[in-house]
Amino acid sequence: MPKLTTPISDEEIRSLKAGDTVYLNGIIVTGRDAAHKFMIEHFIKKPVQPDEQELYDDLKELLDGGVIYHCGPVVKTHDDGSYSFVAAGPTTSIREEVYQADVIRHFNLKGVIGKGGMGGNTLKACAEQPAVYLHAIGGAASYIAQSVKEVLGVYKLEFGVPEAMWVIRVEDFPVVVTMDSHGTSLHDTIQAQSKEVLVGLIS
Amino acid sequence: MDYKTLDLTDQFVELIRRAATQLPADMRQGLHQAKGNEAPGSAAEGALDTILLNVDIAEKNSTPICQDTGTPIFEVKYPVGVSTRKLADQIRAAAAAATKNNYLRPNAVDSLTGKNSGDNTGEDFPTMHFHEWDEDAIHVDLLLKGGGCENVSTQYKLPDGDLGAGRDLEGVRRVVLDAVYQAQGRGCGPAVLGVAIGGDRGSGYLKSKQQLFRQLDDTNPDPQLAALEERIFEEANQMGIGPMGFGGNTTALGVKIAAQHRLPASYFVSVAYMCWANRRASMDIQLGGEEVEVSYA
Ligand code: SF4
């Protein structure tokens, strides 16, 4: 069972090819629309403000060699104030296409997890950085929640539970590399192949 | 029994719980078979394996199969004398209760304010259709239709020059295959495709969704449509898009087609793309005796 553990090295990323299944381990951070917009507007396009310096430093450390997961989880709060993930399937990634490349470069991200794949800008950033796009199994919310072993903390809870940045520790989270660091997107390959078949079937 | 005092709210909650947490047996069997058709160690096989494990966990823990619990669509058959207005109120109350119990995610958003109602009720939400019948019983079918796959559902207006699709079954075949191609992996395939030929834009979409209630292994009573279902099913799977778009032999788990009368001027083909999480459940309520008798399927 090929495993990948955060923080991930450049060599490990380069060894991955589109189509590979890997099991992810270690600490990752969730982030979707609000989180990406926030990181761009507050940290990347502008100098960091003093009252957000601490948050920035924390994220810098967590995301360096790390992974962002496009996920809006369902989270249970326990009586002692601790959290656990109840459902944690991936959300559609393409909405972050406008932000993702800059976030990958700025924070030295090694991976982005989501579903549906991403576009040319992200693919280019993956090749340069290097980084990979990892596709989780859409709809497998309960299964993935079970691979979230621990919720270590949360940032920006004011965005709401689904949009907040949850810091989680995962064990053997199954994902498929669909965009690698060599410029190959499985989504593009499959689309081209299926186009050929379609043309054959309707000509 | 006195229809006036009939209150099925609790039964509707149980129906929702079953739909959200238990994948129907025919869908499971279809996924199992599909897994056997994929190359050992392939990403497609792994995806189907994860899906099947997820289905087991959801049933065991009584938690939603997928966190997007979709649009609840109720099709209700009722006898003369039962108030559909009251049944509709009970369905709305049940949707709210099921949300509280975490069987449903709050999924109804006000399109003007962006505010989530928090309890799965709102303008035209949930979707309900009532049909009167002669039985002394109520039959309810429920489908939870996910959003990701709804985004890749589509409608064609024939003739379509680009696809060489005329106003006949060959044209239908061409556009449905195009819909499968356009969707790629974005609708959380493998898919069940509900197709309606004809109707208008509204009735066609509705009819295409209603096909998703059919059992995967049923046979269309119309031999022409049965043959077309079979052919599109095979050809969709030749396209190699595979589970989640990872590539592989399973792009569709079923194709279900119905035809409607249409205006001479229009020829629509509506395609309802349903993800692997084709969550449906039904219940029967016998009203003949003193007490209501309920059974679920
Ligand atoms: S398309 Fe279906 S499986 Fe995918 S996230 Fe939506 S409801 Fe879940």
Side-chain angles (χ1 to χ4, degrees):
Chain A
M1 193 153 96
K3 293 196 187 214
L4 208 55
T5 304
T6 61
I8 307 166
S9 72
D10 289 359
E11 293 72 49
E12 286 174 291
I13 291 296
R14 289 288 184 209
S15 74
L16 296 172
K17 301 266 181 317
D20 290 352
T21 300
V22 290
Y23 292 84
L24 191 66
N25 289 271
I27 294 166
I28 66 173
V29 183
T30 69
R32 43 188 286 175
D33 311 25
H36 280 80
K37 189 162 183 284
F38 173 81
M39 287 187 283
I40 294 282
E41 288 176 358
H42 290 246
F43 299 148
I44 298 177
K45 290 259 158 78
K46 276 199 320 213
V48 180
Q49 297 298 306
D51 60 330
E52 285 172 341
Q53 187 66 47
E54 201 184 319
L55 168 61
Y56 177 72
D57 292 342
D58 285 1
L59 287 178
K60 262 269 181 203
E61 198 179 321
L62 283 164
L63 297 181
D64 188 13
V67 172
I68 277 190
Y69 179 23
H70 299 155
C71 167
V74 178
V75 183
K76 184 169 172 184
T77 309
H78 299 277
D79 293 339
D80 63 357
S82 66
Y83 301 106
S84 59
F85 273 30
V86 178
T91 187
T92 302
S93 296
I94 196 71
R95 292 194 304 267
E96 317 315 334
E97 178 66 12
V98 284
Y99 311 120
Q100 201 66 67
D102 289 338
V103 172
I104 289 174
R105 292 194 186 99
H106 185 91
F107 288 100
N108 186 36
L109 270 186
K110 291 294 125 194
V112 174
I113 314 172
K115 72 165 177 169
M118 300 190 74
N121 285 333
T122 303
L123 189 61
K124 194 158 158 266
C126 283
E128 288 164 10
Q129 199 54 26
V132 286
Y133 177 82
L134 303 163
H135 200 302
I137 308 305
S142 298
Y143 181 89
I144 298 171
Q146 286 210 342
S147 67
V148 177
K149 295 299 172 196
E150 207 180 339
V151 180
L152 299 162
V154 57
Y155 296 106
K156 295 309 252 178
L157 194 52
E158 63 262 36
F159 290 160
V161 167
E163 296 281 342
M165 302 182 80
W166 296 89
V167 183
I168 55 178
R169 186 173 62 76
V170 298
E171 243 175 61
D172 293 335
F173 176 177
V175 289
V176 174
V177 179
T178 57
M179 292 161 64
D180 65 22
S181 64
H182 309 283
T184 304
S185 161
L186 186 65
H187 306 284
D188 296 348
T189 313
I190 299 288
Q191 178 147 3
Q193 285 171 359
S194 55
K195 177 92 204 181
E196 248 175 66
V197 179
L198 176 70
V199 168
L201 288 170
I202 69 175
S203 60
Chain B
M1 105 145 268
D2 182 7
Y3 291 172
K4 287 213 179 76
T5 58
L6 190 65
D7 184 350
L8 297 176
T9 309
D10 292 347
Q11 287 78 8
F12 282 123
V13 174
E14 174 61 9
L15 181 69
I16 295 170
R17 187 190 72 79
R18 285 170 181 259
T21 64
Q22 303 175 2
L23 198 68
D26 63 321
M27 287 300 302
R28 275 183 207 225
Q29 210 200 333
L31 288 163
H32 263 292
Q33 264 171 11
K35 194 184 139 196
N37 290 337
E38 298 294 351
S42 63
E45 188 204 39
L48 290 167
D49 206 34
T50 301
I51 286 170
L52 285 163
L53 286 167
N54 182 69
V55 167
D56 287 344
I57 294 169
E59 173 150 1
K60 199 173 104 234
N61 299 346
S62 196
T63 51
I65 293 165
C66 175
Q67 65 202 0
D68 179 4
T69 50
T71 307
I73 302 174
F74 290 88
E75 298 287 338
V76 183
K77 297 194 181 104
Y78 67 97
V80 186
V82 167
S83 162
T84 57
R85 181 176 49 83
K86 283 188 184 156
L87 284 180
D89 286 344
Q90 291 161 16
I91 286 174
R92 275 188 286 267
T99 314
K100 235 193 194 132
N101 292 343
N102 289 322
Y103 304 141
L104 297 180
R105 173 178 85 172
N107 239 8
V109 177
D110 185 312
S111 295
L112 300 183
T113 63
K115 196 171 172 293
N116 194 316
S117 73
D119 67 357
N120 275 297
T121 68
E123 190 66 32
D124 288 337
F125 205 103
T127 300
M128 305 171 212
H129 303 113
F130 294 96
H131 317 270
E132 190 183 295
W133 69 351
D134 283 331
E135 310 281 319
D136 199 8
I138 295 175
H139 177 85
V140 185
D141 285 306
L142 168 61
L143 176 77
L144 300 179
K145 176 71 177 72
C149 54
E150 188 69 0
N151 287 341
V152 297
S153 291
T154 185
Q155 194 167 57
Y156 293 84
K157 182 163 63 77
L158 272 45
D160 183 311
D162 292 343
L163 296 167
R167 293 180 157 192
D168 51 23
L169 294 187
E170 168 60 13
V172 174
R173 182 184 73 88
R174 287 170 180 245
V175 297
V176 176
L177 290 174
D178 183 64
V180 174
Y181 163 75
Q182 298 293 344
Q184 292 292 307
R186 287 185 287 274
C188 290
V192 180
L193 301 164
V195 179
I197 306 169
D200 64 19
R201 288 194 185 271
S203 66
Y205 264 135
L206 174 59
K207 191 84 171 174
S208 68
K209 275 211 182 79
Q210 286 169 338
Q211 301 319 300
L212 302 172
F213 284 110
R214 288 172 50 191
Q215 292 288 305
L216 274 191
D217 58 358
D218 73 354
T219 308
N220 198 311
D222 182 313
Q224 276 194 82
L225 294 182
L228 186 62
E229 287 177 358
E230 190 62 28
R231 178 157 179 207
I232 295 177
F233 174 71
E234 274 166 24
E235 293 181 342
N237 285 323
Q238 287 169 24
M239 261 195 264
I241 295 165
M244 294 294 133
F246 293 163
N249 301 323
T250 322
T251 301
L253 291 171
V255 180
K256 304 291 164 191
I257 308 177
Q260 296 170 293
H261 280 65
R262 58 179 174 83
L263 294 182
S266 323
Y267 194 115
F268 294 110
V269 178
S270 311
V271 183
Y273 191 106
M274 185 74 202
C275 57
W276 64 261
N278 187 17
R279 289 153 290 177
R280 44 174 151 73
S282 64
M283 72 175 177
D284 282 292
I285 313 265
Q286 297 302 333
L287 299 171
E290 282 289 295
E291 300 280 314
V292 296
E293 258 176 68
V294 192
S295 58
Y296 300 94

